[in-house]
Amino acid sequence: MNYFPDEVLEHIFDFVTSQRDRNSVSQVCKPWYKIESSSRQKVFVGNCYAISPERVIERFPGLKSITLKGKPHFADFNLVPHDWGGFVHPWIDAFARNNMGLEELKLKRMVISDDSLELISRSFANFKSLVLVSCEGFSTDGLAAIASNCSFLRELDLQENDVEDHRGHWLSCFPDTCTSLVSLNFACLKGDVNLAALVRLVARSPNLRSLRLNHAVPLDILQKILMRAPHLVDLGVGSYVHDPDSETYNKLVTALRKCKSVKSLSGFLEAAPQCLPAFHLICPNLTSLNLSYAPGIHGTELRKLIRHCRKLQRLWILDCIGDEGLEVVAATCKDLQEIRVFPSDPFVGNAAVTEVGLVALSSGCPKLHSILYFCQQMTNAALITVAKNSPNFTRFRLCILDPTKPDAVTNQPLDEGFGAIVQSCKGLRRLSMSGLLTDQVFLYIGMYAEQLEMISIAFAGDTDKGMQYLLNGCKKLRKLEIRDCPFGNAALLMDVGKYETMRSLWMSSCNVTLGGCKSLAKKMPMLNVEIINETDQMDISADDEQKVEKMFLYRTLAGRRKDAPEFVWTL
Amino acid sequence: MGGGVAYENDLNFKATELRLGLPGTGCTDEEQAVSGAKSNKRPLLETREERGAKGKSDPQHDDQETDPAPKAQIVGWPPIRSYRKNSLQPKKAEAEAAAGMYVKVSMDGAPYLRKIDLKVYKGYPELLKALENMFKLTIGDYSEREGYKGSEYAPTYEDKDGDWMLVGDVPWDMFLTSCKKLRIMKGSEARGLGCGV
């Protein structure tokens, strides 16, 4: 291939889009490495501490789009202290200083300040897309900077962030000349927005296809918006409380009739179920429905709505749908691929769905391959049935609200049930388990889960063997997170080389000791072994026999991080 | 599923016996030996006791003794994002916050009762300070062993079961949900409550 000019190779490589494939291409030979690296535009960094921004810039000078992930996954559940890290500023700073032509930035579980947002808005003239998922550290002032200065902004997508809300003026900061918006999602903002500015913004955005409103946008504004944006494909309704006989409601129905393109619906943050019939008009076209923030929608109104959604591929719902409601889903949504059933009352811990709903879904939905299911109870028999019905699962996450609950009928551990799942679902990439589980389930996983990349374990296992089966068996394992399991140093140190083939390992409330972690760190210099010590009871010269409360280790080319707070030690 | 595991080699009737109560409770030595310590309950207990000792307020580990189904809150369980958790409860939380949590406070020997809003206090020290101010007295320092030393008053409360409990024994959040009314006991009655109970 060395008689092809570089431009030809580059053109060919343009067709190779997945990062994994491009990584493979770059390893073929030096010339290919050079060409691929200089032409790569999109990079995904699964752990922002695994590599330094300078190194990324050096290798990929043409970088336009970057995705960065920060905190460990268990940070979502309050297991990681607030100031642990995940600060994006060094990256923004490096990109700005090196005059990178950054156009797209996607962050997950990172800390981004208003200053960083301001810097982005001023440093990258072609900046087009900002997607923030589960991030924090910023306020609506930062959003105002983005709105004001990014003249070609196409996408501002805020998903489940913790944003300090300074009430509403940020929307007015989009200049009249900004007409490029394609996607705007501010559903997670808690404060008011300037409604008139919002309507005007929609009116001057002919390319707008995705709009998700927050709770401060009432029905009459929604109706005005829909009249001006009939080509919307994705709609997140804000506040939906209204008297169904009113003129506004009728106007809404008229507007919805014109919205023939809506395929994805979400929101209903405050909802009066009796107003739902207006949406029956668009249900037949829906492929994605997210009612997981709408506790007000349940019972017969919810089932009526679902019965209209024959083309649904993705459904996120609360467990107040009940087993009965899930049976309606199974009967109606034959194209369903992904479902998530969230608990509607996590504090009380009484989920309204059981193994019955799960079995119904697996029987009725042949294309179902991804599930997240919070339930009251489970049985081995149900899991075995599900495994038989649905060998195509790629993601299987089951959460029983009582984390060590056994089979609800036989009182046995759920080892056999999960064993059946991993044996049957040969393409399984992600697994979360709960319920009473012994070492046996890990034996099964190690034996059968050949494609498994990520697994989350809580309150499971009996001895170190459990974790050992897992590490031994799952060759493609990338992320392992464990909490409250009796795994100790023998398991941790069994195969230290394994951790270099993985992105990260989290262990909290297990039996690993400080000595074990120190030993691991010593053997593996390419890993950062971080101990999170929140209670001041441990100090670095302490007894090596002391158990470590929280450990997070990850492979890295960047050495120990410089921004670790006091309570995080890198061994 | 092929392959025997230690605890399945015996015809372990005990393990398949239908019982009320969770597996792991009422476990005999024999069972434990066979199953190789079916200790799934223990990590949970240990962890929460450890946490209790460290002074974290989340796990209400008293519940484990009185209530077989552990509905007490475990940190980070169920695993849903805080954003989602918070967004499902705002109405409830708001309503409660607005309503306040007023309870009657009686003091032995006082002619009339008072009412205070427990919600405005962040913890026991603030509450006790407020009581001291309201009734112009000193309550003394709390110790688990001896109750309130150094004063002739002991703050008590009536809980959901109708029992009179010493203020300060349980985590603050648990106290908030179980306190029906307060009574500041005085003199010998107070001392009786403080010692050896």
Side-chain angles (χ1 to χ4, degrees):
Chain A
M1 277 279 236
N2 48 0
Y3 41 87
F4 275 176
D6 288 357
E7 297 80 47
V8 174
L9 280 177
E10 203 178 298
H11 182 67
I12 296 174
F13 293 167
D14 276 349
F15 293 101
V16 180
T17 48
S18 105
Q19 175 145 314
R20 283 186 189 183
D21 290 343
R22 288 196 74 110
N23 287 344
S24 306
V25 161
S26 71
Q27 287 174 354
V28 167
C29 60
K30 275 216 172 86
W32 280 35
Y33 179 92
K34 265 183 67 187
I35 296 168
E36 193 284 316
S37 300
S38 61
S39 61
R40 191 178 315 191
Q41 296 192 338
K42 207 168 168 168
V43 166
F44 169 84
V45 179
N47 173 5
C48 65
Y49 291 119
I51 191 163
S52 71
E54 286 74 22
R55 198 150 166 178
V56 171
I57 290 168
E58 196 187 0
R59 176 155 174 206
F60 304 116
L63 192 59
K64 290 201 174 123
S65 163
I66 187 161
T67 300
L68 291 167
K69 291 190 178 180
K71 299 184 193 181
H73 175 232
F74 275 178
D76 279 350
F77 318 134
N78 291 336
L79 289 178
V80 175
H82 188 65
D83 300 321
W84 174 88
F87 306 109
V88 79
H89 193 78
W91 291 81
I92 311 291
D93 192 57
F95 284 147
R97 275 184 289 110
N98 287 279
N99 297 317
M100 300 292 281
L102 193 68
E103 292 182 12
E104 296 176 359
L105 180 66
K106 178 168 176 179
L107 303 179
K108 187 168 183 181
R109 278 192 291 272
M110 293 197 76
V111 180
I112 180 166
S113 64
D114 286 343
D115 286 341
S116 294
L117 287 168
E118 170 101 22
L119 187 58
I120 291 169
S121 76
R122 292 197 184 286
S123 310
F124 310 117
N126 269 338
F127 195 73
K128 294 194 174 72
S129 163
L130 181 65
V131 179
L132 301 177
V133 181
S134 290
C135 295
E136 55 172 355
F138 63 105
S139 76
T140 46
D141 292 345
L143 299 178
I146 297 283
S148 308
N149 303 324
C150 301
S151 334
F152 305 111
L153 193 69
R154 284 201 208 138
E155 179 174 30
L156 179 59
D157 184 0
L158 307 171
Q159 298 176 30
E160 300 188 339
N161 300 292
D162 186 10
V163 187
E164 202 182 301
D165 202 313
H166 297 161
R167 317 255 130 184
H169 86 283
W170 65 276
L171 251 184
S172 328
C173 291
F174 283 104
D176 290 340
T177 48
C178 178
T179 57
S180 48
L181 269 184
V182 173
S183 166
L184 178 63
N185 172 7
F186 61 93
C188 67
L189 294 186
K190 299 188 194 67
D192 294 328
V193 287
N194 184 327
L195 298 173
L198 173 62
V199 175
R200 283 196 304 272
L201 178 62
V202 171
R204 66 175 184 275
S205 303
N207 298 322
L208 194 67
R209 293 292 172 270
S210 169
L211 180 63
R212 297 192 185 188
L213 309 168
N214 77 347
H215 76 96
V217 182
L219 210 75
D220 59 320
I221 301 295
L222 173 65
Q223 173 268 123
K224 290 197 174 101
I225 287 172
L226 290 175
M227 290 300 283
R228 289 156 177 77
H231 301 298
L232 277 181
V233 170
D234 169 30
L235 173 63
V237 172
S239 179
Y240 195 67
V241 183
H242 220 285
D243 176 353
D245 293 323
S246 73
E247 194 191 321
T248 308
Y249 180 78
N250 293 334
K251 281 192 193 166
L252 176 68
V253 171
T254 312
L256 282 169
R257 271 208 192 99
K258 299 211 172 88
C259 293
K260 299 190 193 300
S261 311
V262 175
K263 289 209 161 46
S264 165
L265 188 61
S266 62
F268 296 93
L269 306 171
E270 284 153 13
Q274 62 270 22
C275 308
L276 286 181
F279 284 87
H280 292 182
L281 292 163
I282 56 175
C283 285
N285 290 330
L286 286 183
T287 56
S288 169
L289 178 61
N290 181 355
L291 295 176
S292 64
Y293 286 102
I297 302 180
H298 49 257
T300 36
E301 287 304 329
L302 174 57
R303 290 195 287 272
K304 262 194 233 164
L305 191 76
I306 302 267
R307 281 199 188 94
H308 284 94
C309 301
R310 298 194 165 278
K311 287 198 189 156
L312 217 53
Q313 295 173 13
R314 202 172 85 136
L315 176 62
W316 289 23
I317 197 90
L318 290 171
D319 63 4
C320 44
I321 192 175
D323 288 332
E324 209 187 312
L326 290 178
E327 279 161 359
V328 172
V329 173
T332 312
C333 310
K334 295 304 180 186
D335 284 341
L336 196 66
Q337 297 180 19
E338 172 188 331
I339 185 164
R340 298 191 191 190
V341 182
F342 293 97
S344 48
D345 201 347
F347 297 103
V348 171
N350 277 322
V353 296
T354 69
E355 73 274 14
V356 172
L358 182 63
V359 171
L361 289 168
S362 77
S363 311
C365 306
K367 298 186 188 169
L368 190 62
H369 68 81
S370 169
I371 185 163
L372 170 62
Y373 196 74
F374 285 83
C375 59
Q376 185 66 19
Q377 63 186 46
M378 189 47 56
T379 65
N380 283 310
L383 287 172
I384 291 168
T385 306
V386 167
K388 242 190 252 136
N389 291 339
S390 313
N392 296 325
F393 274 117
T394 55
R395 291 179 189 82
F396 190 87
R397 294 192 280 167
L398 188 76
C399 177
I400 305 172
L401 288 188
D402 175 355
T404 53
K405 195 165 184 173
D407 181 315
V409 168
T410 67
N411 260 339
Q412 292 295 295
L414 290 172
D415 301 335
E416 300 304 311
F418 281 105
I421 295 282
V422 294
Q423 193 178 19
S424 166
C425 304
K426 304 203 190 300
L428 194 69
R429 295 201 306 268
R430 183 170 182 181
L431 177 65
S432 294
M433 311 185 290
S434 56
L436 185 64
L437 295 164
T438 73
D439 285 346
Q440 181 73 3
V441 75
F442 297 108
L443 180 67
Y444 293 144
I445 296 173
M447 269 193 332
Y448 296 114
E450 290 172 9
Q451 301 300 318
L452 198 63
E453 297 179 5
M454 178 171 182
I455 178 166
S456 312
I457 308 164
F459 305 103
D462 306 308
T463 71
D464 282 330
K465 286 216 203 91
M467 185 170 163
Q468 286 169 342
Y469 292 145
L470 211 55
L471 292 173
N472 250 335
C474 299
K475 300 294 176 206
K476 296 207 175 170
L477 197 60
R478 290 190 302 119
K479 289 183 276 183
L480 176 56
E481 41 187 31
I482 305 173
R483 63 163 294 181
D484 294 276
C485 296
F487 304 142
N489 294 340
L492 181 68
L493 298 172
M494 177 194 74
D495 178 6
V496 294
K498 173 92 176 165
Y499 304 126
E500 258 184 14
T501 68
M502 292 168 53
R503 183 188 296 173
S504 64
L505 167 66
W506 168 280
M507 289 182 79
S508 60
S509 304
C510 297
N511 293 341
V512 294
T513 68
L514 186 56
C517 295
K518 282 181 179 170
S519 173
L520 176 57
K522 199 161 174 199
K523 290 185 185 151
M524 302 295 294
M526 297 295 264
L527 299 179
N528 276 354
V529 180
E530 294 186 6
I531 309 290
I532 296 173
N533 173 36
E534 289 171 280
T535 59
D536 282 336
Q537 276 181 9
M538 203 186 262
D539 81 75
I540 196 82
S541 56
D543 179 17
D544 279 359
E545 299 300 310
Q546 242 192 325
K547 284 194 197 160
V548 160
E549 182 61 28
K550 293 176 184 173
M551 178 203 73
F552 181 58
L553 66 82
Y554 52 91
R555 67 180 176 191
T556 178
L557 295 173
R560 70 164 59 205
R561 59 185 174 111
K562 299 182 186 66
D563 62 4
E566 268 178 21
F567 53 81
V568 172
W569 305 327
T570 309
L571 297 178
Chain B
M1 281 218 92
V5 178
Y7 76 88
E8 278 183 6
N9 282 339
D10 281 346
L11 282 177
N12 197 350
F13 289 125
K14 265 260 179 263
T16 55
E17 176 188 303
L18 281 177
R19 287 177 288 162
L20 292 175
L22 295 164
T25 58
C27 214
T28 61
D29 285 324
E30 189 196 284
E31 264 182 62
Q32 284 194 6
V34 166
S35 68
K38 237 188 330 188
S39 58
N40 282 302
K41 276 283 152 232
R42 281 185 225 125
L44 173 56
L45 277 175
E46 263 172 52
T47 310
R48 284 157 66 200
E49 277 164 20
E50 273 171 34
R51 291 218 184 89
K54 287 176 185 171
K56 288 199 179 157
S57 63
D58 321 54
Q60 299 168 0
H61 69 265
D62 279 354
D63 272 4
Q64 185 64 21
E65 277 109 50
T66 54
D67 179 1
K71 288 198 175 166
Q73 288 163 40
I74 306 164
V75 178
W77 197 269
I80 61 175
R81 286 187 185 159
S82 352
Y83 174 85
R84 185 174 283 282
K85 248 189 193 161
N86 296 338
S87 66
L88 286 175
Q89 294 290 83
K91 283 243 163 99
K92 216 175 179 183
E94 269 165 29
E96 278 176 12
M101 229 190 108
Y102 284 92
V103 295
K104 291 183 190 172
V105 189
S106 63
M107 184 168 97
D108 293 358
Y112 49 80
L113 279 62
R114 304 295 303 269
K115 256 202 165 164
I116 56 169
D117 179 2
L118 291 179
K119 285 275 148 123
V120 315
Y121 307 110
K122 296 203 184 78
Y124 287 119
E126 279 185 29
L127 170 65
L128 296 173
K129 198 99 208 243
L131 291 175
E132 285 180 329
N133 282 339
M134 192 180 257
F135 294 99
K136 310 275 183 295
L137 44 78
T138 339
I139 290 179
D141 294 312
Y142 171 77
S143 85
E144 203 173 313
R145 264 179 100 227
E146 296 175 342
Y148 288 87
K149 275 180 68 176
S151 99
E152 49 173 340
Y153 296 102
T156 65
Y157 68 100
E158 187 182 13
D159 73 359
K160 284 185 177 148
D161 299 325
D163 297 319
W164 286 96
M165 318 286 296
L166 186 69
V167 168
D169 285 336
V170 303
W172 177 252
D173 293 315
M174 189 193 261
F175 167 72
L176 283 182
T177 55
S178 50
C179 172
K180 300 232 89 89
K181 55 167 103 152
L182 286 162
R183 176 182 160 199
I184 303 184
M185 285 188 188
K186 189 180 159 181
S188 54
E189 220 183 329
R191 276 189 288 280
L193 195 66
C195 321
V197 171

